Amino acid sequence: MAYASFADLLLAAQTAGSLGEAVVALECDESGASRASVLARLESSLSVMEDAVARGLAGDAHSRSGMTGGDAKLVSEKGPCLAGDTFSEAVAGALAVAEVNAAMGRIVAAPTGGASGVLPGVLLATAARLSAPREQVVLALAASGGIGGIIAAKATLSGAAGGCQAEIGSAAAMAAAAVVELAGGTPQQAGHAASIALQGQMGLVCDPIGGLVEVPCVARNATGAAVALAAAEMALAGVTFPVPLDEVVSAMGSVGRSLPPSLRETALGGLATTPTGKRLAAEPAQH
Amino acid sequence: MAQQRSVFDIIGPVMIGPSSSHTAGAVRLGELARAIFGGQPVTADIVLHGSFASTGTGHGTDLALVAGLLGMAPDDPRIPDAFAEAAEAGLAVAFTTDDLGEVHPNTARLVLHASDGREMLVQGCSVGGGDVVVTRIGEFEVAVSGDLPVLVVAHRDQPGVIAGVTAVLAAEGVNVASMEVSRERRGASALMIIETDNPVAESSLDELRKVAGVTGVRTVPAV
């Protein structure tokens, strides 16, 4: 079992040294696998993420419907237009993986397929900026898994159950905590970063055009990455969030249950039912 | 069917996109159907229901099901080319959509045929995050998740068959995680679905086939 609360994870991190180490230690205990084999498996997931970023940035990942593909390349080639390198790279990376996902490419669900771009976008751009050793990046990935496990236990990671806040919101919280730890922040700061990222997307609805994981999902991976970086920036500077992460997560779950079914992955509301949304949904696939 | 939540359930699975339920889960359903059928069929008539019917094409659910029938795993890069792979492998597929009634929105019904005319119906649903449940085999209601190896035993409904089967498993040191027995009607054909903690050895299968009343035995690996 994963940690059931951030309070539990924080306690374990005191002994283990970091959130990532605490997650790896529990995984070893539960599965009987060695530390080396758990790290190796996480490292192979990291490689799949890197490959997906590279493929998306190359621009050849177009979805079957023709609605998505090519934006990651655009941002990567034109950027940074306004923001810094790390921010622009994170946005491009998030778009890249989300486009590869929509194009039936190989990705790591993190925590879901629809939200698979946020974590690689933010984590890999940050790792590049910090020239972080590979094992530290793998441990940051483990830390993000710990945060995701808590959200799964206390709320939900499913857009159908809790709206987009449960998918992109959770991914942003996971990514924010991961990069705070990677940048040398404390476990407490990582928790504040996750809280800030999640509160920033509280109430976000799941309204996919045509019911497909394309529009707005691909763009939302990029905006989710931006939220994650903003949250990490604040937490690393010492900004705290007054509501503890466990309570923020419970609030997100409660908001998710209050969302009408039309805004939970049914394509019956939000952008899906705009005139353009309906027109795009009715058009035959171009690919 | 207990779900263990490991860090790899959150950072993972590694899969072909776009959807863990509509794509990765559909591959696993196809894999399970192939294993339950006992190999690759020559034709597959597939009915998509609910959300599988309305958004399945956009999510590649059709390709994913066929990929699974061909024995591919959810992260196989050939999944987008599954139709071409099927044609090459001699598997003819036909898709229709229908309302299958009060079932999970992500449900598919696969009617599979072997070259000798043997036919089998396998129905299942994708319940989220890549988790699936096979809910029907032929006329029998079942619940097979693919999380553990499964032993499928077709038999006649008569006293002593269950004891005979479990005796063989006990002798082999195979631990039963769950067991489900159903029958068409009293004294007619019946089906045992046994989830085991470890796979059943080939030698035990021969012993199981010798149990009085047993008419067929098949193992379905965890997928």
Side-chain angles (χ1 to χ4, degrees), chain A residues 3 17 44 76 158 184 217 265:
Chain A
Y3 292 101
S44 95
S76 170
S158 150
C217 318
E265 213 178 323

Side-chain angles (χ1 to χ4, degrees), chain A residues 5 10 20 44 79 92-93 98 100 104 109 130 134 142 144 184 211 219 229 246 259 283:
Chain A
S5 69
L10 215 46
S44 95
V100 167
M104 295 194 78
L130 300 171
R134 187 106 178 138
S144 78
L229 280 177
D246 285 323
L259 286 176
E283 277 175 6

Side-chain angles (χ1 to χ4, degrees), chain B:
Chain B
M1 294 208 305
Q3 294 297 313
Q4 285 188 330
R5 186 170 289 138
S6 115
V7 66
F8 299 108
D9 293 329
I10 306 295
I11 307 298
V14 175
M15 54 171 267
I16 298 301
S19 163
S20 54
S21 57
H22 286 60
T23 320
V27 176
R28 293 185 71 225
L29 265 186
E31 278 186 282
L32 279 174
R34 173 191 171 100
I36 291 166
F37 184 68
Q40 187 178 298
V42 292
T43 65
D45 298 314
I46 302 175
V47 181
L48 301 176
H49 162 93
S51 178
F52 267 12
S54 56
T55 68
T57 302
H59 284 121
T61 305
D62 44 5
L63 292 163
L65 286 165
V66 171
L69 283 175
L70 292 169
M72 295 184 202
D75 69 337
D76 195 309
R78 297 170 299 164
I79 291 170
D81 306 315
F83 290 161
E85 298 273 343
E88 204 162 294
L91 166 62
V93 287
F95 281 91
T96 51
T97 60
D98 200 359
D99 184 346
L100 296 175
E102 292 297 312
V103 294
H104 191 282
N106 300 334
T107 291
R109 174 180 289 174
L110 299 86
V111 178
L112 309 175
H113 297 93
S115 53
D116 64 4
R118 183 170 64 91
E119 178 183 295
M120 182 183 275
L121 181 153
V122 179
Q123 183 170 312
C125 53
S126 181
V127 297
D131 294 329
V132 298
V133 184
V134 169
T135 53
R136 193 174 149 192
I137 299 173
E139 292 306 308
F140 299 102
E141 305 282 330
V142 299
V144 175
S145 69
D147 291 338
L148 288 171
V150 172
L151 187 66
V152 182
V153 181
H155 60 101
R156 282 188 296 278
D157 179 41
Q158 66 186 50
V161 185
I162 296 170
V165 166
T166 54
V168 172
L169 296 180
E172 293 288 334
V174 172
N175 190 48
V176 172
S178 80
M179 181 165 179
E180 200 181 353
V181 186
S182 49
R183 63 182 182 188
E184 274 182 356
R185 58 182 189 282
R186 194 168 178 171
S189 61
L191 197 69
M192 257 179 252
I193 302 287
I194 305 170
E195 282 187 312
T196 58
D197 284 331
N198 37 330
V200 178
E202 200 61 38
S203 55
S204 306
L205 298 185
D206 292 334
E207 291 303 310
L208 287 168
R209 290 189 183 99
K210 290 179 199 158
V211 173
V214 168
T215 54
V217 178
R218 184 157 295 145
T219 54
V220 178
V223 297

